[in-house]
Amino acid sequence: MAHLFQSNLMNTATRIETETESSITLRFAGHLLSAAIVIAAIIVALYVARLYYLYPRTDDAYVRANMVGIAPHVSGPITELPIVDNQYVKQGDLLFVVDPRPYQATLDAATAKLQLTELDIRALEDAIRTAKSDQVRLEADAAYDKQYLNRIEPLLAKHFVTANDVFNARSRVSAAEAAVQAAHSDVSKAQNQLGQYGDINALRKAAEAAVYDAKLNVGYCYVRAPYNGWVTNLNIAEGQYANEGREVVSLIDDRKWYVIANFRETFLSHIEPGMTAEVFILAYPNKRFRGRVQGVGWALYQQNGATVEGLPQTEATLNWVRLSQRFPVRIVLEDRDPKFPFRTGTTAVVTIQGFRDQDDREQSSH
């Protein structure tokens, strides 16, 4: 009996010792595993932080395109409107027509005035030729009268002529010289009325300018697309009065699309023009687009510090938690896919990938 009790006691002690060693081993392994997890977490955190700053990423980004309000150069009712809202138009396509009839009438009047001006110029040229002919004739008469006076003046001392004859001759010379001066004035007046300056005739030039201006206005009645783009927010119809210089149609420029990505100011030192960007558009989550940084914004409007009537305005309170400002970064989209058309205002996610190759750096340097 005692032998059996001693055997059981030894077995129990052995079992307890074995369990203690196993527990110590498990605890040690647990500590090692915890330390490994902590180290791995630190390494992953450092790696993620490095990627976070080396390859900045933001989801505060939107697709943009330049949009222009198309306004006519002339005023009048719209007589033709061949476009509809959200239509794609090509450069040179007709957008709308302003009533051209009054401008065509002005053009016809200007053309007729140009033709009359041509007749006036011919008449003035004829008048100049006539005035010059009269001037030559009067100059010849004056020369003859002067020559006659020179002949008879020596005869007065010899009493071959009377003093009255000499007086009459001198009077004719004075009258002839006055007629020559008047002829000179008539020629100058006719030349001034002609308006000829070198090879340019001012009368003809003014009439031609009026015709050109009238032609421009007739052409302005037909408003065409200046580039390929999309008609948007069209809310007019035929018959509406179009005012000169006032927007009638909005046209989205389809030639160049870009993304405005707002990055925190702590990332700006890692973003440079020419860097490659990876762009995902929420409308096409499985499609990746490539872009290139065009530039980083240089200024933001801030209410705190803005000037009011020449005096700086400051807030009365100060928040101890300072949020990072976000600056807009413009990224030009380089690849286009007709299956995935861009729309201005679409939300995007942008990751700056830096200079991917030597070509990126060369393009940035240029």
Side-chain angles (χ1 to χ4, degrees):
M1 188 69 178
H3 179 71
L4 180 61
F5 177 76
Q6 185 178 2
S7 177
N8 290 335
L9 184 61
M10 291 178 64
N11 291 335
T12 299
T14 302
R15 187 171 62 254
I16 291 173
E17 183 179 357
T18 302
E19 291 178 355
T20 301
E21 293 177 354
S22 176
S23 176
I24 293 173
T25 302
L26 289 176
R27 283 199 301 271
F28 181 74
H31 290 316
L32 288 178
L33 181 60
S34 298
I37 292 175
V38 171
I39 294 173
I42 293 174
I43 294 174
V44 171
L46 292 175
Y47 179 73
V48 171
R50 181 175 180 273
L51 291 179
Y52 188 65
Y53 282 96
L54 288 182
Y55 305 105
R57 179 180 179 275
T58 182
D59 56 2
D60 186 7
Y62 305 92
V63 177
R64 290 284 186 269
N66 296 324
M67 185 171 62
V68 176
I70 306 299
H73 289 282
V74 293
S75 299
I78 296 177
T79 58
E80 294 182 34
L81 188 67
I83 58 175
V84 295
D85 194 21
N86 301 319
Q87 177 181 341
Y88 186 81
V89 294
K90 295 183 178 180
Q91 182 178 3
D93 287 352
L94 184 65
L95 299 179
F96 60 91
V97 178
V98 178
D99 189 359
R101 290 174 297 179
Y103 300 101
Q104 183 63 48
T106 302
L107 174 59
D108 295 340
T111 303
K113 187 175 181 179
L114 175 60
Q115 295 172 349
L116 291 175
T117 301
E118 292 290 348
L119 295 177
D120 291 340
I121 291 174
R122 293 177 186 175
L124 288 172
E125 290 175 344
D126 292 339
I128 291 173
R129 285 192 290 269
T130 301
K132 287 183 176 180
S133 298
D134 292 340
Q135 177 182 339
V136 171
R137 178 178 58 79
L138 292 172
E139 288 175 348
D141 292 341
Y144 174 79
D145 292 336
K146 192 173 184 179
Q147 183 183 14
Y148 176 76
L149 176 62
N150 293 333
R151 286 201 310 267
I152 67 173
E153 278 182 335
L155 299 178
L156 179 62
K158 298 178 181 180
H159 302 286
F160 289 111
V161 296
T162 64
N164 189 47
D165 292 336
V166 175
F167 176 79
N168 290 335
R170 288 175 179 171
S171 298
R172 285 197 298 271
V173 169
S174 298
E177 290 177 346
V180 170
Q181 292 297 327
H184 275 292
S185 299
D186 291 339
V187 171
S188 298
K189 181 180 179 180
Q191 288 176 339
N192 291 334
Q193 290 177 344
L194 180 61
Q196 191 73 29
Y197 295 93
D199 296 333
I200 299 176
N201 185 276
L203 296 178
R204 181 184 293 110
K205 197 68 176 179
E208 290 174 346
V211 172
Y212 180 74
D213 182 67
K215 284 183 178 180
L216 282 179
N217 288 333
V218 172
Y220 288 150
C221 292
Y222 302 87
V223 182
R224 301 183 181 275
Y227 48 75
N228 297 349
W230 297 92
V231 177
T232 184
N233 197 29
L234 182 64
N235 296 309
I236 61 172
E238 294 181 3
Q240 179 170 331
Y241 194 86
N243 291 287
E244 178 183 356
R246 183 171 295 180
E247 178 181 335
V248 174
V249 177
S250 295
L251 192 63
I252 298 176
D253 190 351
D254 191 46
R255 295 174 297 179
K256 179 181 290 187
W257 289 81
Y258 54 90
V259 172
I260 297 296
N262 298 315
F263 282 93
R264 289 192 297 178
E265 55 189 321
T266 53
F267 291 153
L268 298 184
S269 60
H270 301 280
I271 302 176
E272 297 180 20
M275 284 185 171
T276 301
E278 183 182 66
V279 179
F280 286 93
I281 300 176
L282 265 61
Y284 314 118
N286 298 322
K287 174 66 176 178
R288 179 174 61 183
F289 296 92
R290 174 187 171 94
R292 192 175 301 277
V293 176
Q294 178 182 337
V296 182
W298 287 100
L300 289 178
Y301 175 79
Q302 293 178 298
Q303 292 183 350
N304 185 14
T307 57
V308 179
E309 296 182 358
L311 300 177
Q313 178 186 10
T314 59
E315 298 291 338
T317 60
L318 176 64
N319 296 325
W320 293 104
V321 178
R322 307 297 290 174
L323 299 178
S324 298
Q325 297 286 356
R326 291 178 177 266
F327 283 79
V329 176
R330 178 173 296 220
I331 300 167
V332 178
L333 295 171
E334 294 185 333
D335 50 353
R336 300 284 298 273
D337 190 338
K339 297 180 181 178
F340 303 96
F342 297 136
R343 298 179 186 272
T344 182
T346 307
T347 305
V349 178
V350 175
T351 302
I352 304 297
Q353 297 181 325
F355 294 106
R356 307 299 294 179
D357 49 39
Q358 186 65 23
D359 293 339
D360 289 351
R361 295 184 180 275
E362 292 179 356
Q363 183 171 350
S364 175
S365 63
H366 293 314

